[in-house]
Amino acid sequence: MSESANHDIYFVPGLHRGLRVLEILGAAKTPMSLSEIARAMDLSRSSAFRLVYTLRQMEFLKDGEQKNTYTLGAKVLNLGFAYLSNQPITTIARPLLAKLRDTTGVSTHLSVLEGHNVLYLGSHQARTGFVSNMVTGTRVEAYATAIGWCLLSGKSDAELAAFCKGLDMPPITKHTPTSFQTLKARVDQMRTDGFVVSHGFREPGGSSIAVPVWDQVGKVVACVNLSGPDSGFDFDKLKSFYLPETKATALRISRELGYEGSN
Amino acid sequence: MSESANHDIYFVPGLHRGLRVLEILGAAKTPMSLSEIARAMDLSRSSAFRLVYTLRQMEFLKDGEQKNTYTLGAKVLNLGFAYLSNQPITTIARPLLAKLRDTTGVSTHLSVLEGHNVLYLGSHQARTGFVSNMVTGTRVEAYATAIGWCLLSGKSDAELAAFCKGLDMPPITKHTPTSFQTLKARVDQMRTDGFVVSHGFREPGGSSIAVPVWDQVGKVVACVNLSGPDSGFDFDKLKSFYLPETKATALRISRELGYEGSN
DNA sequence: GCCAATTGTTTTGTATATAAAACATCAATA
DNA sequence: TATTGATGTTTTATATACAAAACAATTGGC
């Protein structure tokens, strides 16, 4: 706190609040009025007015259907996709994930670790059955998911301990690790197996396979993942077909990133 | 100008410059250093420092691979996808566009008009042949494309004239309309046909079908679009199969939006 | 290994962004 | 139609964000 406090002279309040306006409008399902924004941010209307004025002029906000209401503008989309295309792995992985989806018939995903969360960078939905909501850009807690354990396998024990420090880990299901020790057990298991297969760990009736992607220096940088409702999986084919296909795809992505190991 | 000038007392400069930092880093293919950012924005290093400091603390920027370099952070992705999910049409249209892709085997897209540009909201790539780059979030000039004419068909002649006012319309190909009159001719053609079919209007060897989507009050709000390389199209099937399928999909989306017309 | 040039960080006087208050406009209710 | 409450906009005195300059740390060339 003391460190952040004596550095906060550098904080640009106008920028901070403007971005909060964007976050609040992003979280809101419906356009908001000036006064609603001001209240949500605990800010004077006059200040909110200036923020909205600026954001609107820059096309980061646009007018809602109702008069005097505002929503996110298209400029934020530009930023979002600039982010994606600046992640070289997404462009490398996309066609390979599409192919994996086509050969297996199951939804495929690419994700990375962002802080304590799993961040989905892209997905290819199964062509049969119900398709889930768009998952790109969504985050879930890493400690509680198979994908998270897969991504955490790149960390050393010390890093993993630091990861757990100050993180509360409520149990989502009875299989959820709730301490450093139990999480480490999961991650160690992943390290020896080279993959994670889960059934209903996070959502009842949902199964998934998670396999890591390595970069030049052998670091785990992403995770390839097959997932869907149990009804979409043919369990007989899981170990004989789905798993090897997923591992092959992850390895091909790793190779394109310069990985030269033999995992 | 006079109006915007005497209103600029309301402009929040910190916010304005902070967002420009994000835009510049989004446009850059590679992480940038503090000084590079300062130069790109024609700003003092000390000010750039404060902006970067704030953005980093809010996780809109994160550290690049190299030391003292910065890239867009994951928070901008959140905003981008908040924008998409706040557009009800994307969630309605997604499964229908996927289905259209599967029945035709050709890439499908949904787009809307944003200012003078066509903005792609989502796409489903063909399963065969080369897949294009991710197009969601990209923009192209409306006046020069079949999709643009389709989207502009919702405007009255007066609105279309206003649209052209002060817009320079360089010819992209020899078919590109370069004036209000020639653009209006294209749009009128679209209005009588109810669709646009184009071959190589924008990219040589590329073909596309564009059909409008209407909302409750019969306004054109979006465009459904099949497109791909000529080699991906079976031209015999175009009018007998692709076009009716595309129109049916657009109509189903329109119906879900509350459209009750018979187009 | 030295020097020069470039970059990141801190300080500080001054120009200016800010929030309170006043004002204007609108919507709802009696 | 008059009255009340809430919202959007403008003004203005004051707190503060800002850029120049100084400083520190790093890098590159000879």
Side-chain angles (χ1 to χ4, degrees), chain B residues 2-194:
Chain B
S2 62
E3 198 178 50
S4 70
N6 63 12
H7 271 294
D8 274 353
I9 356 170
Y10 298 133
F11 220 70
V12 180
L15 177 54
H16 175 233
R17 287 186 306 223
L19 292 174
R20 280 197 58 218
V21 171
L22 294 180
E23 291 183 318
I24 285 171
L25 262 87
K29 306 281 179 199
T30 160
M32 289 173 79
S33 72
L34 191 64
S35 297
E36 288 174 314
I37 293 169
R39 253 170 319 193
M41 309 215 345
D42 198 23
L43 204 75
S44 68
R45 290 202 314 278
S46 53
S47 296
F49 174 78
R50 303 171 81 252
L51 296 171
V52 168
Y53 174 84
T54 305
L55 289 169
R56 212 154 66 108
Q57 198 143 308
M58 296 192 71
E59 294 181 64
F60 278 77
L61 292 189
K62 68 177 173 191
D63 297 12
E65 305 255 323
Q66 314 261 7
K67 221 189 172 186
N68 288 327
T69 63
Y70 308 99
T71 342
L72 294 183
K75 277 279 182 70
V76 300
L77 234 202
N78 290 12
L79 286 184
F81 281 92
Y83 173 87
L84 279 181
S85 60
N86 284 353
Q87 310 278 101
I89 194 171
T90 55
T91 53
I92 290 170
R94 196 175 331 115
L96 296 169
L97 287 174
K99 198 171 177 188
L100 180 62
R101 186 265 319 265
D102 289 333
T103 57
T104 61
V106 181
S107 297
T108 59
H109 307 275
L110 182 77
S111 41
V112 296
L113 197 64
E114 271 283 339
H116 286 147
N117 295 315
V118 172
L119 174 66
Y120 284 86
L121 290 183
S123 65
H124 294 257
Q125 300 293 346
R127 273 175 279 118
T128 59
F130 294 102
V131 294
S132 69
N133 271 338
M134 176 171 310
V135 291
T136 307
T138 58
R139 297 160 175 230
V140 294
E141 321 81 350
Y143 79 92
T145 67
I147 298 175
W149 308 334
C150 180
L151 288 165
L152 288 168
S153 71
K155 290 194 183 295
S156 68
D157 284 3
E159 288 172 322
L160 194 61
F163 177 89
C164 293
K165 192 121 196 170
L167 174 70
D168 68 58
M169 303 160 67
I172 312 285
T173 74
K174 61 180 177 175
H175 301 290
T176 307
T178 56
S179 67
F180 167 63
Q181 277 78 15
T182 47
L183 179 58
K184 177 167 155 34
R186 293 290 187 186
V187 173
D188 283 340
Q189 185 68 44
M190 150 68 216
R191 269 194 276 254
T192 57
D193 292 343

Side-chain angles (χ1 to χ4, degrees), chain A residues 14-80:
Chain A
L15 176 54
H16 175 233
R17 287 186 304 227
L19 292 174
R20 281 198 57 218
V21 170
L22 294 180
E23 291 183 317
I24 285 171
L25 263 86
K29 305 283 178 198
T30 160
M32 291 172 80
S33 72
L34 191 63
S35 297
E36 287 174 314
I37 294 169
R39 252 171 318 198
M41 310 217 341
D42 198 22
L43 205 75
S44 67
R45 290 204 312 280
S46 53
S47 296
F49 174 78
R50 302 171 81 252
L51 296 171
V52 168
Y53 174 83
T54 306
L55 290 169
R56 211 154 67 108
Q57 199 143 306
M58 294 193 71
E59 294 182 66
F60 279 76
L61 291 189
K62 68 177 173 189
D63 297 12
E65 305 255 322
Q66 313 262 6
K67 220 189 174 187
N68 290 327
T69 64
Y70 308 98
T71 342
L72 294 182
K75 277 280 182 68
V76 299
L77 233 203
N78 290 14
L79 287 185

Side-chain angles (χ1 to χ4, degrees), chain A residues 247-260:
Chain A
K247 289 173 86 166
T249 300
L251 186 57
R252 285 179 63 184
I253 297 170
S254 301
R255 285 272 136 79
E256 298 232 31
L257 293 174
Y259 176 67
E260 296 183 334

